[in-house]
Amino acid sequence: MTQFRLIASTAFGLEAVAKRELQSLGVSEIQAYNGYVEFVGDELTIARANLWLRTVNRVFIKVGQFTARTFEELFEQTKALPWPELLSKDANFPVNGRSLKSQLSSVPACQSIVKKAVVESLKERYRMEKFPETGPRYTIEVSLLKDEAVITLDTSGEGLHKRGYRKLTASAPIRETLAAALVLLSRWGPHRPFADPLCGSGTIAIEAAMIGSNLAPGHRRTFASEHFIWMDKGSWNEARQEVEDTRQRSASLEILAGDIDKEVLSLAEYHARQAGVGPQVQIVHQDVAKFQPDDPYGCIITNPPYGERLWEEREVRKLYQTMGKSFARLDTWSKFVITSYPDFERVYGDKADKKRKLYNGRIQTNFYQYLGPLPPRKPHD
C-alpha cells in the first residue's frame, strides 16, 4: 500500500494526548507540533485514525510543503504536486485556506491560485478543459505560516467531534473531542466508578462509557475518504470489522451522569442511547450538593458553568463553593474540573495538585486535577 504523510489536527494542549492515541494504534514516526500531530501511514492507517482517534479534529493527507512568497511560487509548486493520483476527473474539490504572518495574506486569493493550479494539473492528465465536479468531495486546504505553505487533503469530511450521537444540544455544550481528552488525561480506567454530577447533556459521561467499552468514536458515521476513488475499500471494511471485534459489549461499568436540570437529563439519556452506551450510563436527577456515592476510589470529571457573563458570576461562585464542600467528603476519589473562572481554586476551597491549560473552543480554561489515592491492590489467589 502507498505510504502517506498524515496530519491529525488538535486543539492546543491536546497534542501529546493525540500522540499517545496514535501510538496505541501502532502508528510510527509521530511528531507533535502546536495544534497538530504528523505521522506516516497507509490507507488502513487513514481508516483506523478516522474511526478511533478521540481527541483530534480531522485527519489530513499532507500533499506538499514548500516556501511561497509570491503567487507564482504558490501556483507552480502546487501544480507540481501529484493531484491526478489523488483526484478523480469528476472530483468535487473545494479549497479552504488560512494565512498567518505571510506575504501572501489574502486568503481568497490563495484559495483561487491553488484551485487554478490543481485544475491545470488535472488538465494535463485527463485532457479535459472543464471538470464537472459532480463526484466525491475532496476538500483541499492551503495553510500559510511565515511564508511556508502546507497543502493538505481532508480525509475526514465533517469534524471528528461529530460522532453522530449528539443530535440535540444544550446550552454551552463541550465538544466530544475535548470531553474524551479530559477522560484520557485523568487516566481513568473502567475498573473504577466514574461520575459527572454536573453532566448537562451528558457528553463527558458518554465519552467515558465509549472509552470503557473500547467503542470507536467514529463507529456511527461515514468519512470523506471512504468515497475517494483510489481508496482501497478493503481497508475501510477491515477497519470497521476491527471496531466490531474489539468492542466490549458486556463491559461492566459504573458511570453516573447527574444534574439538577431535568430537561438536560432527557438529552443526556437520548444521547447515551444514540451513542450505543445507554445501558452503561446511569442518569440521575440530583443536586451536586447531595452527591454522595457509596463506592470508594472513583473519579469525577465535570465541566460546570464558567460564569462568562457578569450576571452569572454570583451563581457560579455559589455553585463552586457547593462543589468544594460536596467533593471534600470524597477523600478517596479523584476530582477533575475544567473552567475558565480565574478564581476557581479559592472559591472551591482547595488548591489543585495539577492544572493544565486547555481550550474549550476559543475559551482558555484550566483543567484542575485533584488526585485521590489509587485503589489498593487486590491480593493474588
Side-chain angles (χ1 to χ4, degrees):
M1 283 190 181
T2 304
Q3 293 290 303
F4 298 94
R5 176 68 61 177
L6 302 168
I7 291 173
S9 60
T10 73
F12 287 107
L14 299 183
E15 299 87 353
V17 185
K19 184 176 181 179
R20 287 199 296 269
E21 286 198 273
L22 285 164
Q23 289 170 336
S24 73
L25 292 178
V27 175
S28 60
E29 299 183 48
I30 309 168
Q31 294 290 329
Y33 301 93
N34 287 335
Y36 68 98
V37 179
E38 198 167 309
F39 57 105
V40 173
D42 56 17
E43 293 166 35
L44 183 57
T45 306
I46 292 172
R48 285 172 173 162
N50 276 293
L51 283 165
W52 282 101
L53 293 179
R54 302 180 189 277
T55 64
V56 310
N57 300 327
R58 280 186 170 85
V59 178
F60 299 92
I61 294 170
K62 185 177 180 181
V63 185
Q65 181 173 357
F66 48 83
T67 300
R69 296 186 179 90
T70 67
F71 288 129
E72 183 179 0
E73 288 177 339
L74 180 62
F75 178 88
E76 292 297 339
Q77 294 188 80
T78 299
K79 182 184 173 185
L81 297 174
W83 297 112
E85 279 71 54
L86 295 171
L87 306 184
S88 58
K89 62 183 178 182
D90 64 345
N92 174 15
F93 53 102
V95 179
N96 298 328
R98 52 183 175 167
S99 179
L100 181 66
K101 298 179 181 179
S102 294
Q103 294 184 50
L104 301 180
S105 58
S106 171
V107 172
C110 291
Q111 291 172 233
S112 178
I113 291 293
V114 168
K115 180 84 174 185
K116 289 177 182 177
V118 175
V119 168
E120 290 303 313
S121 175
L122 296 179
K123 280 182 179 180
E124 293 179 1
R125 168 64 62 89
Y126 296 117
R127 304 301 178 187
M128 296 169 61
E129 285 301 313
K130 293 184 179 181
F131 295 89
E133 297 199 44
T134 55
R137 188 179 183 89
Y138 299 76
T139 302
I140 298 167
E141 182 171 296
V142 51
S143 176
L144 287 139
L145 175 62
K146 297 179 180 178
D147 299 325
E148 192 74 6
V150 177
I151 311 291
T152 57
L153 181 64
D154 180 8
T155 72
S156 300
E158 286 194 304
L160 295 182
H161 71 282
K162 294 188 176 181
R163 318 285 206 217
Y165 67 78
R166 199 168 73 179
K167 301 178 185 293
L168 305 174
T169 57
S171 60
I174 189 172
R175 272 198 172 190
E176 296 88 332
T177 43
L178 179 57
L182 301 184
V183 178
L184 294 175
L185 284 169
S186 77
R187 305 288 182 152
W188 170 79
H191 60 287
R192 297 175 66 187
F194 179 97
D196 180 359
L198 297 143
C199 72
S201 57
T203 306
I204 295 176
I206 290 167
E207 292 294 324
M210 293 173 72
I211 291 169
S213 302
N214 200 35
L215 178 58
H219 77 288
R220 291 186 58 86
R221 55 163 287 179
T222 59
F223 304 90
S225 51
E226 291 185 79
H227 307 291
F228 290 179
I229 194 168
W230 51 263
M231 187 74 175
D232 175 27
K233 301 301 184 229
S235 295
W236 273 104
N237 292 337
E238 181 180 345
R240 288 198 179 276
Q241 189 59 51
E242 289 172 352
V243 170
E244 292 301 312
D245 293 344
T246 57
R247 180 180 179 182
Q248 298 172 12
R249 296 181 185 274
S250 59
S252 179
L253 302 174
E254 292 183 58
I255 296 180
L256 181 143
D259 205 284
I260 198 170
D261 186 338
K262 284 186 177 181
E263 187 174 337
V264 295
L265 287 179
S266 67
L267 295 181
E269 189 173 6
Y270 172 76
H271 291 155
R273 290 198 308 269
Q274 290 295 307
V277 293
Q280 282 81 28
V281 181
Q282 180 186 1
I283 309 293
V284 177
H285 179 231
Q286 187 180 68
D287 189 329
V288 68
K290 298 180 180 178
F291 177 67
Q292 188 63 45
D294 297 327
D295 296 307
Y297 304 106
C299 178
I300 292 170
I301 304 179
T302 194
N303 173 47
Y306 299 168
E308 290 290 318
R309 299 178 182 88
L310 186 62
W311 60 269
E312 292 178 339
E313 183 175 357
R314 183 178 298 178
E315 292 183 6
V316 165
R317 288 175 63 89
K318 184 178 179 181
L319 173 62
Y320 291 169
Q321 289 169 351
T322 301
M323 287 168 53
K325 292 174 183 176
S326 180
F327 293 175
R329 299 192 294 263
L330 308 175
D331 55 357
T332 60
W333 279 57
S334 294
K335 284 87 74 172
F336 300 85
V337 182
I338 183 171
T339 178
S340 66
Y341 191 76
D343 206 20
F344 171 76
E345 288 170 299
R346 190 179 69 80
V347 176
Y348 177 79
D350 194 10
K351 185 173 177 59
D353 297 306
K354 295 181 179 179
K355 63 180 180 180
R356 184 182 186 123
K357 183 169 71 174
L358 297 174
Y359 284 86
N360 186 357
R362 295 185 177 183
I363 301 174
Q364 182 178 316
T365 68
N366 279 307
F367 188 41
Y368 296 94
Q369 304 170 52
Y370 299 87
L371 307 176
L374 293 174
R377 291 180 178 271
K378 293 182 178 180
H380 295 290
D381 295 333

